[in-house]
Amino acid sequence: MIQRNKISFAICALAICNTLSSNAQSILPPVIDWHGKSEALIAKPNNPWITAAEKSDFVSTPDYNTTMSWLKKLSAASPLLTMISIGKSVEGRDIFMVIASTEKNITSAALKHSGKPLLLVQAGIHSGEIDGKDAGMMLLRDIAFGNKKDLIKNVNFLFIPILSVDAHERSSPYNRPNQRGPQNMGWRTNAQNLNLNRDYAKLDTKEIRAVIKVINGYDPVLYMDIHVTDGADYQYDITFGGLGLQGNSPGIARWLEEIYKPSADKDLKANGHIPGQLLFALNDRDFSQGNILIAGGPRFSDSYGNLRHMASVLVENHSLKPFKQRVLGTYVLLESTLQLLAREGQSLKAITKADRAIRDAKVPMAWKVPQMENAVNFERLADIQQSANPAIAPDSMVFAGIASRLVKSSVTNADYIEWLGKPVTEKIVNYKGTEPIDFITRPKGYWIPASCEEVIERLKLHGIKMDIITQPREVVVEMYRIENAKLEDENHKAQPYEGHIQVSGTTKSETRKQLFPASSVYISTDQPLGDLAMMLLEPTSKDSYFSWGFFHSIFQRTEYMEAYVMEPMAKKMLEDSPALQKEFEEKKAQDKVFADDPNAILTWFYSKTKYYDERYLLYPVGREL
Ligand SMILES: [Zn+2]
C-alpha cells in the first residue's frame, strides 16, 4: 500500500514536470517539407537487413546493444566486413569499429601495405548527434548485401558507429531540445562529463585515445567527424568542410576546397540535398552580421587533423532538419567521399606527403579569430566587427537563409529571434580568420625531463617520435621562465574547464646548461608531427600541456630561509654592495606595499642569494636550438 502511494506520487510529480516543460519538438521553428532522390536508399520493409532507424521510419535510433549486435551479425554474414574493438570506455563498453575492405588481411599494417586510400569515419563523438551511425549502418548493409560493393574496391573504409558509447546510453527525449529527432538522443559529454571534441590535444579520455590509436595505426588519408549543429535556422541540411585557408596543411586545405567540396556538393544536390559550408553566425543568433569560420585549435578534431597533416572533414548536419533527411544526406556524403577517394585518393596521398614534409622556420600558435565555444563572448565579437583589421578578412557569400524577425520577450524584456520557415536568399558577410599569429621559432627539438611522465606518455600516444636517453645528459637549451601567470580560462574566468584549471602567462627566455636525467626524452621537430609537438609543448599555445595545467607544480616555491639566517645575511649583502643598497632603497620608494611587508623584503633578498630555488617558475621543457 505504501509502495503504491509512492508510485502514484512519482507519477504525479512526473506529470507536473511534463506540464511545466512543454515539449520542445512542438516549439521548434516550422519545418520545410522535403523529398529527395536519396529516399530511394531506404530499405524495403521486407529487407532482412533493414536497420532499426529505417524500420521506425526514422522516428528513433537503436541503443548501443541493438546497434552492436546488428553490426556483429552483419559483419559475421559478410566477408567484406570485420568488427573490432578499438578500446573500452570508463563504464566498460567496447568502442567498436567496422572495417570494410576487400583485402583478405585487414591488420593495420596490411591495409597500409595495400596502398589503397583509407577513409576513417566516426559518428557519435557527441552521442546525441547520431546521424552518422544510422547512415553508416545503411551504407555498410548496402556494401555487404546491396549494390554498393564497388565502393570499397579501391578504398578501405573504417567506421566507428558510436564513439561516445557511455553517453549514447544516457539517452532521453529531453537531451537536445534544439534538434528535430530522433525521439531518443544521447548526452553531449562522456561519462566523466568531458567533451570529447575538446580532448584531441590533452588526451584525457579513453574514447579519444582509442581514436588516436586508430589514426596512428591505419594512417587514414581522410578523417571525417560527424555532428549535428545547434543554433540558427537556414536552408542547408548538410554542412561540412575543412579549415579553409587557416591551418598548417596548405596542400590538403586546397584539396578539400577545390576537389572534395565541389564533388560532394554535386552528389548531395543530385540527391535532393542542400549542401553548405560550415556556418557559425557571427552574432551567435542570426546571419544579419555574417558568418565566421573558426579555427579552434587542436583540441578539436578538425584542427587536430589539420595540424598532423591529415585531411579532416567536419560534418555538421542541420539540427532543425528532420532526422530522416539528415541521415540520408549523411549516407550520400559518405558514398560520395568513398567514390571520390577511389578517383582522387592517390592525389590526396601525394599532397598529404608534401604537407608532411613542410618544416616552417616559424610556426603560428593561433589564428586571428575570436573564440566562440560555449558562451559567446559578445564583447570580443563586437571588437572584431568594429575592427578594421585585415586579418579578419570579410568576404561575401550568397546565403540560403530562412526569414526571421525579432520578437520582444515578455519574459526577459529583451529581443529574441523567431524563425519563420520561409526560404530567403541573401548576400551576407563571410569572415575568415586567415592571419596566423603568435609565431614561435622552430627549435631543433625539445628536451623533456623524466619527471614529466604524464606529458611524455601523452606525447607518445599522439604518435610523436622521441628518443629516450638511458644516461643523464647535459645540454645547452633555451628555457622559459613563466611570468604573469594567471590561473583562468581563455574567457578570463577562474573556473575549471574540461576538468582542468587552465593557465596562461608570458615567457622569458634563458639559455641554460641543463642536466636531463636518464629516461628524459628528446623530441626532434624534424618529423611529420613536429608542428603538433610544438603546439603541445610551447607554453603560449592555448592547447599546450602547460596551458591545460600539467605543469602547475612549477608555481610552488618549496624551500625557504628562516629569518634568523636571512636577517644577518641581508644586512651583510647591503654592507657589501652599495649598488644593492641603492636598488633596495628605490624599490621601497616605488613600492609601498613591499616596503611595509617584512616577508616580501626578506624574500627579495633571498631571491638574490644562491640559496634561492632557481627552478621556481621555470618551465622544465628545454628547447634545443
Ligand atoms: Zn557536436
Side-chain angles (χ1 to χ4, degrees), residues 126 129 188 227-228:
H126 295 145
E129 308 166 14
R188 181 174 177 78
H227 295 246
V228 179

Side-chain angles (χ1 to χ4, degrees), residues 125-344:
I125 186 173
H126 295 145
S127 69
E129 308 166 14
I130 203 60
D131 310 4
K133 174 191 74 180
D134 295 291
M137 289 167 80
M138 289 169 66
L139 180 63
L140 289 173
R141 180 256 330 274
D142 293 342
I143 288 172
F145 296 113
N147 54 356
K148 301 284 169 78
K149 188 181 162 184
D150 279 357
L151 288 175
I152 57 163
K153 201 169 143 201
N154 295 310
V155 181
N156 293 315
F157 175 34
L158 306 186
F159 178 69
I160 301 169
I162 307 170
L163 179 55
S164 193
V165 283
D166 297 337
H168 187 271
E169 299 311 281
R170 189 180 165 185
S171 177
S172 160
Y174 299 105
N175 278 354
R176 283 182 57 77
N178 315 315
Q179 182 174 307
R180 188 164 264 126
Q183 124 204 118
N184 51 324
M185 303 181 212
W187 193 251
R188 181 174 177 78
T189 45
N190 78 351
Q192 297 156 297
N193 207 27
L194 297 176
N195 187 337
L196 300 185
N197 203 23
R198 303 295 180 274
D199 194 38
Y200 277 81
K202 61 184 169 62
L203 294 185
D204 284 335
T205 66
K206 293 190 161 195
E207 294 91 336
I208 298 303
R209 287 180 176 209
V211 171
I212 302 301
K213 211 170 143 197
V214 169
I215 290 172
N216 284 326
Y218 293 87
D219 193 18
V221 72
L222 199 141
Y223 174 47
M224 185 185 280
D225 181 23
I226 304 172
H227 295 246
V228 179
T229 65
D230 279 302
D233 200 2
Y234 40 72
Q235 295 171 51
Y236 309 103
D237 56 358
I238 309 292
T239 70
F240 63 96
L243 289 186
L245 292 172
Q246 306 161 93
N248 305 52
S249 300
I252 290 170
R254 266 198 309 278
W255 188 91
L256 288 172
E257 286 289 306
E258 292 165 15
I259 310 281
Y260 181 74
K261 190 146 180 53
S263 162
D265 280 354
K266 191 169 147 251
D267 289 341
L268 280 160
K269 279 182 194 158
N271 282 282
H273 293 276
I274 313 147
Q277 67 164 74
L278 293 167
L279 294 165
F280 302 95
L282 179 66
N283 63 10
D284 199 36
R285 189 166 72 175
D286 58 22
F287 289 89
S288 58
Q289 287 164 307
N291 181 56
I292 185 157
L293 194 61
I294 305 161
R299 71 190 62 178
F300 294 92
S301 67
D302 53 342
S303 298
Y304 176 76
N306 180 286
L307 190 56
R308 55 180 294 158
H309 316 299
M310 166 179 67
S312 301
V313 173
L314 174 68
V315 181
E316 291 280 359
N317 295 336
H318 187 220
S319 61
L320 295 173
K321 300 295 181 283
F323 183 49
K324 184 201 277 185
Q325 183 181 351
R326 298 188 332 246
V327 171
L328 295 177
T330 308
Y331 182 119
V332 174
L333 184 63
L334 290 175
E335 181 177 6
S336 172
T337 305
L338 285 167
Q339 284 167 337
L340 179 70
L341 287 181
R343 298 195 305 271
E344 292 284 347

